[in-house]
């Protein structure tokens, strides 16, 4: 384009509509126009649909992500090498962020985790933490910096000052059926993580019936897009593809998942959750350079879970974020106090004994959603008490005289009709498999 040429939004939309690659300048101009309200909603919708249909190159995706990051404030840290984070694409019972952040902080890393709320069947980290009375999830940038520097980790929502372009784009993507676009997903996730000022990132890309990505090929494609873009931006990025047909851990639902997170921080809890904490944490220890051996990194994490260091960091973090110290002490010692206000709990039984071949994570998510423990639109309030506690996992032998699950609810329901088609039983032994399906670097 000749010198003095003025960029015009309709022309840029047409370029992308026709499958052309946009320049860095053009992408920066579009994102600046979006974040300063100079682009009409109709034009934003047209740009998103053009991108959804035509896609973007890695170069375009990287510039889109950088421009979105630069639309708001960015955190700057001393010793940036030790600033790390993780992101999960979301699933049922996925509480890994909650124990992982304090584990990493106990090892000397710093985690400025910007997390989200749940929508539809995926639970949000922020919703789970809000089941702790007094926990403040809306922090300003100064508070985030102070807590990270003092404690080593924080889990908070996106501030008003961060990535305004993403807030606008995300809302319109939902309205225009352009959510499932690889470059748009990549830019939305990584712009938030890049604004945190991190040097290393591990991605947990869920695969299966209760995940956004239903099969390993589409999950691999998304993981590769995010890993490539993250590394292009100077963030050491790796991805783990993990199974999400069956719920993660024993507990699903906001308060229940905090209870299980505390159990994990005490060195107990389910093996599949511990597997992901150790694998993701080890990856960040290696990426940051704090460890050079994967085996040693995993051993360090196991030790911090066993010796109480990680639990101590969790308690310090929740106190720093507004929880009264005595109550923090109490829930760390007796986490089930968090579910004390729940009106009802009922045990569920199956008609036959046998090996558990599958537990449908979507059925469990639907129970939580139907009873008020999830939301169908972002402004909806939720009941933190609602949830499902499993007593068996895939591969376990089940005795029909014992309950396979306990459900927690606050309004009277017909218990016999709940989760009727959730579990499949086999009369032959089922091999237990690791949650981690693939690693992408």
């Amino acid at each position: 384009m000749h010198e003095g040429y003025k960029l015009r939004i309709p022309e840029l939309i047409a370029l992308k509509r026709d499958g052309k690659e946009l320049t860095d300048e053009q992408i920066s101009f579009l994102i600046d126009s979006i974040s300063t309200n100079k682009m009409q909603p109709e034009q934003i919708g047209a740009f998103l649909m053009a991108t959804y249909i035509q896609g973007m190159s890695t170069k375009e995706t990287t510039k889109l992500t950088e421009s979105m990051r630069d639309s708001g404030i960015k955190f700057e840290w001393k010793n940036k090498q030790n600033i790390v984070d993780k992101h999960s694409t979301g699933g049922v019972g996925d509480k890994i962020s909650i124990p992982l952040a304090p584990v990493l902080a106990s090892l000397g890393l710093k985690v400025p985790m910007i997390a989200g709320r749940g929508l539809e069947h995926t639970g949000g980290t922020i919703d789970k933490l809000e089941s702790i009375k007094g926990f403040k999830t809306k922090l300003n940038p100064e508070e985030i910096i102070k807590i990270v520097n003092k404690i080593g980790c924080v889990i908070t929502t996106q501030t008003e000052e961060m990535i305004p372009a993403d807030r606008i784009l995300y809302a319109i993507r939902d309205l225009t059926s352009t959510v499932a676009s690889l470059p748009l997903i990549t830019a939305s996730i990584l712009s938030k993580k890049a604004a945190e000022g991190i040097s290393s990132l591990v991605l947990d890309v869920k695969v299966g019936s209760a995940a956004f990505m239903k099969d390993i090929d589409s999950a691999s494609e998304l993981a590769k897009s995010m890993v490539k873009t993250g590394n292009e931006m100077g963030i050491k990025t790796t991805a783990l593809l993990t199974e999400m047909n069956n719920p993660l851990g024993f507990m699903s639902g906001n308060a229940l998942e905090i209870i299980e997170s505390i159990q994990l921080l005490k060195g107990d809890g389910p093996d599949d959750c511990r597997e992901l904490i150790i694998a993701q944490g080890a990856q960040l220890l290696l990426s940051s350079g704090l460890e050079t051996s994967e085996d040693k990194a995993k051993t360090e994490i196991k030790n911090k879970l066993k010796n109480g260091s990680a639990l101590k960091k969790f308690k310090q973090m929740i106190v720093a974020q507004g929880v009264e110290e005595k109550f923090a002490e109490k829930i760390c010692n007796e986490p089930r106090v968090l579910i004390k206000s729940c009106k009802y709990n009922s045990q569920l039984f199956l008609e036959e004994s046998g090996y558990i071949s599958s537990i449908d994570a979507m059925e469990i998510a639907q129970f939580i959603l139907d009873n008020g423990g999830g939301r169908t639109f972002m402004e909806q309030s939720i009941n933190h008490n609602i949830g499902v506690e499993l007593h068996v996992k895939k591969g376990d032998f089940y005795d029909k005289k014992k309950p396979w699950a306990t459900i927690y609810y606050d309004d009277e329901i017909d218990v016999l009709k709940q989760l009727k088609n959730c579990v499949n039983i086999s009369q032959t032994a089922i091999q237990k498999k690791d949650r981690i399906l693939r690693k992408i670097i």
Side-chain angles (χ1 to χ4, degrees), residues 325-361:
E325 187 143 8
K326 280 185 180 175
F327 186 61
E329 185 74 37
K330 187 171 185 179
I331 66 165
C332 287
N333 290 329
E334 306 165 46
R336 282 192 176 266
V337 73
L338 291 169
I339 206 77
K340 193 177 71 173
S341 66
C342 188
K343 287 183 187 173
Y344 307 105
N345 66 80
S346 299
Q347 295 179 331
L348 303 183
F349 295 82
L350 299 173
E351 291 175 0
E352 62 174 329
S353 300
Y355 294 94
I356 305 288
S357 61
S358 68
I359 300 173
D360 190 335

Side-chain angles (χ1 to χ4, degrees), residues 72-319:
I73 67 154
K74 294 172 287 184
F75 287 94
E76 302 285 343
W77 308 95
K78 292 176 184 173
N79 197 8
K80 185 181 174 178
Q81 184 182 331
N82 288 348
I83 310 294
V84 304
D85 200 5
K86 64 88 67 164
H87 176 81
S88 169
T89 55
V92 180
D94 183 10
K95 60 203 63 81
I96 302 304
S97 294
I98 296 161
L100 181 62
V103 167
L104 295 171
S106 72
L107 287 158
L109 292 172
K110 294 192 181 295
V111 189
M113 190 180 288
I114 306 297
R117 298 186 183 281
L119 190 60
E120 296 289 350
H121 76 277
T122 57
T125 298
I126 293 299
D127 296 319
K128 294 164 193 177
L129 286 163
E130 283 182 340
S131 62
I132 305 172
K133 184 184 172 186
F135 189 87
K136 186 180 173 189
T137 55
K138 199 169 184 182
L139 303 175
N140 63 44
E142 292 73 27
E143 288 171 318
I144 292 170
I145 291 165
K146 183 180 175 184
I147 294 170
V148 169
N149 284 331
K150 185 180 177 184
I151 309 298
C153 59
V154 73
I155 305 178
T156 181
T157 54
Q158 185 176 330
T159 74
E160 290 296 319
E161 301 91 340
M162 288 179 74
I163 325 114
D166 181 60
R167 277 198 301 278
I168 297 164
L169 286 172
Y170 194 87
I172 297 177
R173 278 169 64 203
D174 196 37
L175 293 171
T176 54
S177 297
T178 54
V179 170
S181 157
L182 287 185
L184 297 177
I185 295 168
T186 297
S188 179
I189 290 169
L190 290 186
S191 61
K192 288 192 271 284
K193 295 300 166 188
E196 294 172 356
I198 60 174
S199 68
S200 299
L201 174 66
V202 66
L203 299 162
D204 182 350
V205 180
K206 302 292 185 195
V207 186
S209 59
F212 183 59
M213 295 297 178
K214 307 296 182 191
D215 60 83
I216 199 146
D217 290 340
S218 59
S220 296
E221 208 180 337
L222 174 60
K224 285 173 184 173
S225 172
M226 292 196 288
V227 166
K228 207 179 279 185
T229 302
N231 284 313
E232 285 282 329
M233 293 175 71
I235 300 168
K236 292 173 189 168
T237 308
T238 54
L240 299 174
L241 271 55
T242 65
E243 180 259 311
M244 187 35 75
N245 295 309
N246 299 274
L248 186 56
F250 287 107
M251 299 189 186
S252 299
N254 295 296
L256 286 174
E257 290 187 49
I258 296 293
I259 292 168
E260 191 157 72
S261 295
I262 293 168
Q263 290 172 353
L264 287 157
L265 287 163
K266 290 180 161 189
D268 299 322
D271 292 341
D272 57 353
C273 290
R274 200 159 47 245
E275 176 196 358
L276 295 193
I277 293 166
I278 292 166
Q280 292 172 22
Q283 197 56 58
L284 290 169
L285 285 172
L286 293 170
S287 298
S288 66
L290 274 194
E291 290 291 348
T292 53
S293 155
E294 187 173 358
D295 287 343
K296 192 162 183 292
K298 287 180 174 179
T299 300
E300 287 288 330
I301 293 164
K302 289 174 189 173
N303 289 341
K304 295 297 182 186
L305 288 170
K306 280 179 187 171
N307 68 19
S309 302
L311 182 64
K312 185 179 177 183
K313 279 290 176 192
F314 174 76
K315 184 191 162 193
Q316 290 172 347
M317 179 187 79
I318 65 173
V319 169

Side-chain angles (χ1 to χ4, degrees), residues 6-65:
K6 190 170 182 192
L7 294 170
R8 293 185 65 250
I9 290 166
E11 288 179 21
L12 301 184
I13 294 168
L15 285 173
K16 182 42 66 184
R17 178 199 66 199
D18 297 339
K20 302 289 192 294
E21 183 172 86
L22 299 178
T23 66
D24 287 359
E25 183 193 11
Q26 289 167 341
I27 291 170
S28 293
F29 174 74
L30 283 170
I31 296 302
D32 183 61
S33 300
I34 289 166
S35 54
T36 55
N37 297 312
K38 291 174 185 168
M39 195 164 165
Q40 299 301 312
E42 296 86 348
Q43 292 175 316
I44 298 172
F47 168 67
L48 290 172
M49 187 58 75
T51 301
Y52 179 86
I53 292 166
Q54 297 293 356
M56 280 187 167
S57 66
T58 300
K59 184 173 180 289
E60 284 178 295
T61 305
T62 302
K63 188 60 189 177
L64 176 67
T65 309

